Amino acid sequence: MRRWWLLFVPIVIIVALLFATAEFYTDWLWFKDVGYESLFWKVITSRLAVMAVMAGVAFVLIWVNLLIARRVLVRRVRIEESDGNVRFFPSSERYLDFLDELLSSRSLGALMLAASLVIAVVWSSNFSGHWLDWQMYLNRTSFDLADPIFGQDVSYYLFQLPFLSESYKAVIGLLVILLAAAILLYGLGGMLSHRVRGGSAAIGHVSGLLALVLGVRAWGYKLQADHLLYSTRGVVVGAGYTDVHASLPIYRILLILSLILAVGALINVRLRRGRLTIILPAVLMLVAVLAGSVYPGLIERFSVEPNQLERETPYIRHNIEFTRIAFGLDKIREHQLPAPTSLTPEILAENQTTIENIRLLDWRLLNQTYAQLQGIRPYYRFADIDIDRYEIDGKLQQVMLGVRELTLSEMQPDVRTWVNEHLVYTHGYGAVVSPVTRVTAQGQPIFMVRDIPPRTDFEVLQIEQPRIYFGELTNTYAIVNTSVEEFDYPQGSEDNATTVYEGGQGVKLSFFNKLMFSLRYGTAKLFLADSIQPDSRILYNRNIMDRVQTIAPFLQYESDPYAVIADGRIFWIIDGLTTSSYFPYSEPLGPGGINYMRNSVKITIDAYHGTVNFYLVDEEDPIALTYNKIFPGLFKPLNEMPASLRKHLRYPEDLLVLQANVLTTYHVQNPSLFYNQEDRWAIALEKFGDDVRPMPPYYTIMKLPGAEAGSEEFVLVLPITPAGTGDNVKHNMIAWLAARSDGGDYGDLRLYHFPKDTVVQGPRQIDARIDQDTDIAANLTLWSRADGSRVVRGNLLVVPVGDTIIYVEPVYILAAGNDLPELKRVIVATKDSIAMRPTLHEAINAVLGRDAGAPTPGGEGPIGGEMSLQALSEQLSQTLEAAKRAQQGGDWAEYGRQQDLLEQLIQQLQTLLEQTP
């Protein structure tokens, strides 16, 4: 029996250790596999270093105080009465007997040492979470910008103050606990009196601890003074009049008083007057309450509030300046626009590329269309539809792109076996690409990239490696190179293509690794599966957001990754944002109190190999430069990013929305106007379905006002309107904000103001004009009632064209019981007129007063009215493919419909060829 226990206990210990270390070990293997092992160990060593420093401080304080307490308690505790008699306190007699027995123990010294060490380690383990604050403190980068109150570089507040504040809380907390423990220890023995033998020593010990507490509290008052730059007492965030003229002097007085009282406590270590241990902290608390709370309140009420604008003006100016700097608004270039003119054919001719790239496809509805027409199988899904641009036939063209990912999450349980989920169905396949403006005669998107395997007529969109092992929906681990055939793509009703993963990622599953991964994922199947061979590899953390957040959790990420086709492969691009909530005088308007943000990092991920690269795009951001010092080699220079990917960088939508929200208040730089809130703005509202919501920014290709002909570029646009509430809401457009994305202009922000004496209609006013137009309203009502169909109005886009504005809104029809949206009409409005027609060019011709008449069966061509050969070619090819699918599926009604459409397209092609000289 005894031998059995000797064998059982080590086994239990080994199993427990394996369970405890499985996640750590497999995390290390993952970091090593993706090439960021040095970052993994940097985090571990940083945690251990900061923990060791704080544990050392705590150990010294605890152990020294235990040694002092032992010396004090060794003496017998008796009270010497004035008459010379000696007796024990009845209430403390048993306690003193216990202390006598404890102090006489030979193992007490070792016990004290062990207890000090254990308590110090436990206490410091919580502080290890501040490893990044510690590293930023050590590797700080100057902002070359001084705060207006103390004249310290802003880097002090972002990189030093957070760590100093957390350190102060930890140290003062430990000292207060030690002081309370000493008072409790001596108080129970009645030793806090100089008349007790050993009482003077106890008072000296308490006085020493009190001196440390008061000295550290003086440091705390200095930090509290620094935190005044985040004060919310005044009309804006940051130190206001009361903070500077009342709270700051008081903190300085309290700092000096704390140091004086700390010296007094040190003196009392020799004097050993028990009353002083009460009087000294009482004095500080009384002054802190009366002066720290009452006096600033009186100043605020009787001096500031009656003269608030006059008193607060300098501090409002500080808040405006630093908030604009923190969110990059100081770099916005502002331009005044003339009053919009009427739309003319000349304006259209000069802005042809802009017109050809007006987006009619709404990404929210396009996802449904892709799922219906290009989903192929129920296990394929499009997580999102992305908007990007490609140079096609020498022209910049805006497109919609969806990646076909694979997920079994919505399949039947009998399909979702462990083998299927992790060994067979391991990856998605290919992508779908459509032009944003042209559609088929049925109102469906044209597919520039389509089907499985991917097919395209455009070289720049060729996909040689279409497999998606890493994406937005790859939330499970995959095991590749097993004896089980790995599904590649469907070929027919009875046959599927298979593949073998040849990428560079994956951890080999040796016997020990299989065991550790089984423990990590809580399944014995991984360990017991015979199909897993020594060369098999496991791919995990495959979700691209999980992937980047695991590598660099200190960055904030744009919520919408987007896919790019480049060099025959599919890549993901994610925007990395550096943030802080410690920028002085800045209004915290971001999530979690963020008051500083920069788009400093771009991350690319190969959808097949899983390779992750971080690129530094803002070399002037001190936070990014500090991270680069902490983690050398993490950020690569932007010029090392392949040129094929650099062409597809785009300004992040989340950042522009945040900047626009800040701009709605902080476009005003005059403190008096800012105080009175006389000119507040708002992001324009739009109507989608039955909801009215802030308009999301939208990408478009356009020529910015004042730019030369042929200088069209990819920009992110957001219309701005006046702010208001209730019946006072005004929806006219007063400005629009644009963020540039191409080449060396990346990140350039432009704000275009309309004249204040001119009313420019905003999106909601255009919506109202659409609702009030009798012809449009009658048609929309008729369609919504017919056969239970539903009318959905897509994104209303505000498109600056030359010196005027046009408004474009697509109208979709969803038939009853059908999730396939059909682009039925296009509404175009100008300041003078409004029209709804089957195509964009017909609607534009209508608002110009030259209605083209019958609708064109195909998509969009040049505004003059004729279809382009490229558009006709694409539609002929797509209609022919649809006819073949209908024939193969035995759907003869659909086949006949496609044949009729082919005849129409052929007739249109003949007409176009006859008109071509």
Side-chain angles (χ1 to χ4, degrees), residues 235-367:
V235 294
V236 293
V237 169
Y241 183 90
T242 300
D243 297 311
V244 173
H245 293 86
S247 296
L248 180 56
I250 287 172
Y251 284 143
R252 287 170 173 169
I253 291 170
L254 290 172
L255 187 154
I256 295 171
L257 180 61
S258 296
L259 291 175
I260 293 173
L261 294 176
V263 173
L266 283 175
I267 295 173
N268 196 50
V269 173
R270 296 296 301 272
L271 297 178
R272 301 184 179 182
R273 299 289 186 265
R275 292 181 180 179
L276 286 179
T277 59
I278 299 174
I279 294 173
L280 293 176
V283 168
L284 182 61
M285 292 176 63
L286 181 63
V287 174
V289 171
L290 294 178
S293 301
V294 177
Y295 177 63
L298 295 174
I299 293 296
E300 180 73 20
R301 182 173 182 181
F302 295 106
S303 178
V304 175
E305 290 181 2
N307 312 281
Q308 195 170 54
L309 178 57
E310 178 186 354
R311 295 280 192 268
E312 298 287 6
T313 291
Y315 311 105
I316 295 174
R317 185 176 290 110
H318 298 329
N319 173 265
I320 294 172
E321 177 188 0
F322 278 74
T323 299
R324 288 176 61 85
I325 292 172
F327 291 101
L329 305 188
D330 60 316
K331 297 181 180 179
I332 293 178
R333 289 196 270 181
E334 302 190 32
H335 304 268
Q336 290 294 330
L337 295 174
T341 62
S342 297
L343 182 65
T344 64
E346 290 75 22
I347 292 177
L348 293 175
E350 293 172 0
N351 296 272
Q352 189 67 34
T353 301
T354 299
I355 300 300
E356 291 174 355
N357 283 281
I358 292 176
R359 179 167 59 83
L360 300 182
L361 299 178
D362 190 298
W363 61 270
R364 290 166 290 197
L365 298 173
L366 189 60
N367 202 326

Side-chain angles (χ1 to χ4, degrees), residues 53-288:
V53 171
M54 299 307 293
V57 172
F59 173 76
V60 170
L61 287 173
I62 296 170
W63 190 46
V64 168
N65 278 278
L66 285 177
L67 290 177
I68 295 172
R70 181 185 184 184
R71 291 186 60 186
V72 172
L73 294 172
V74 164
R75 306 178 183 182
R76 295 186 60 83
V77 185
R78 295 182 177 181
I79 295 181
E80 299 177 3
E81 299 286 357
S82 57
D83 59 2
N85 295 326
V86 178
R87 66 179 178 83
F88 287 101
F89 272 122
S91 60
S92 60
E93 184 174 349
R94 297 174 65 183
Y95 172 70
L96 295 173
D97 288 342
F98 167 74
L99 288 179
D100 285 339
E101 184 177 348
L102 177 63
L103 294 169
S104 61
S105 172
R106 295 181 179 179
S107 59
L108 180 60
L111 180 63
M112 288 168 52
L113 187 65
S116 301
L117 186 59
V118 170
I119 295 172
V121 170
V122 172
W123 175 81
S124 63
S125 63
N126 294 326
F127 199 80
S128 66
H130 299 290
W131 66 270
L132 186 58
D133 294 335
W134 162 257
Q135 285 292 348
M136 296 181 81
Y137 178 92
L138 296 177
N139 295 278
R140 56 191 176 274
T141 303
S142 174
F143 271 78
D144 293 326
L145 174 68
D147 81 82
I149 303 301
F150 303 112
Q152 299 186 98
D153 190 87
V154 169
S155 60
Y156 165 77
Y157 299 94
L158 273 72
F159 303 134
Q160 294 177 267
L161 187 58
F163 180 73
L164 293 176
S165 299
E166 294 300 328
S167 299
Y168 165 75
K169 292 176 186 177
V171 173
I172 195 71
L174 178 61
L175 288 174
V176 169
I177 291 173
L178 290 174
L179 177 61
I183 292 173
L184 181 65
L185 179 67
Y186 297 136
L188 287 174
M191 299 176 65
L192 293 178
S193 171
H194 66 279
R195 295 181 301 167
V196 178
R197 184 179 301 170
S200 296
I203 294 172
H205 184 194
V206 171
S207 297
L209 281 171
L210 183 60
L212 285 174
V213 170
L214 292 170
V216 173
R217 189 68 188 94
W219 177 33
Y221 284 125
K222 196 278 180 187
L223 297 177
Q224 282 183 268
D226 293 334
H227 276 89
L228 286 176
L229 271 62
Y230 313 108
S231 172
T232 57
R233 186 201 299 272
V235 294
V236 293
V237 169
Y241 183 90
T242 300
D243 297 311
V244 173
H245 293 86
S247 296
L248 180 56
I250 287 172
Y251 284 143
R252 287 170 173 169
I253 291 170
L254 290 172
L255 187 154
I256 295 171
L257 180 61
S258 296
L259 291 175
I260 293 173
L261 294 176
V263 173
L266 283 175
I267 295 173
N268 196 50
V269 173
R270 296 296 301 272
L271 297 178
R272 301 184 179 182
R273 299 289 186 265
R275 292 181 180 179
L276 286 179
T277 59
I278 299 174
I279 294 173
L280 293 176
V283 168
L284 182 61
M285 292 176 63
L286 181 63
V287 174

Side-chain angles (χ1 to χ4, degrees), residues 771-819:
D771 293 337
Q772 293 163 6
D773 186 280
T774 54
D775 292 336
I776 295 176
N779 278 294
L780 296 182
T781 302
L782 178 64
W783 290 327
S784 62
R785 291 178 179 175
D787 302 323
S789 298
R790 184 162 61 95
V791 175
V792 178
R793 288 158 57 178
N795 280 127
L796 192 155
L797 301 185
V798 180
V799 185
V801 179
D803 291 333
T804 190
I805 299 287
I806 64 173
Y807 309 85
V808 180
E809 182 175 84
V811 177
Y812 290 85
I813 300 293
L814 273 78
N818 188 352
D819 290 333

